[in-house]
Amino acid sequence: MNDDDMSDDDLNGGLNDDLLGEVDWGDEEFAGLLEEELRQAAAVLDPVPAELQQIAVDAYALHDLDARVAELTFDSLVDALPVRGVTDVPRMLTFRAGEVTVDVEVTARGLMGQVLPPQPARIEVLGGPRPGSPLTADDLGRFTGDVPLSGPFALRLRTGEDVVVTEWLRA
């Protein structure tokens, strides 16, 4: 038996189009369901490694190419001495980028901080791919945010024409 003697049913394993059914690949609803099924299967069978996800979050913080990265110079979780008997201690952070310093206190109720040298600034609290929460620093550089932080976060400061992005940290 050669290829010319084989019918279409023989070539597709004996299954004819009636058994396979007609699939409307142009149907947006079907495509959306298929995409969701594939996403779920990939999440279970081949999840994104945590390290790669962190790299992606860090890269997102730098989508502002004009931004300078502010280095973490003090973190009370690492650098401060623990105080005996105190349970709800705020986390103190200091970031520096060139001449700009940002002091931040993170509590369960939110954050407050100051930009030094004192100057007005617009500050965004970044938390992944969603838009940042806007804050405004007054003429003395002081700012507050009453939304508790959870998960990874960073700050993006706009002072005049200067843009500074802090390192990403876990709240």
Side-chain angles (χ1 to χ4, degrees), residues 102-121:
V102 183
D103 291 322
V104 181
E105 179 179 319
V106 180
T107 68
R109 294 182 307 275
L111 61 85
M112 68 176 148
Q114 184 173 19
V115 179
L116 299 169
Q119 58 190 299

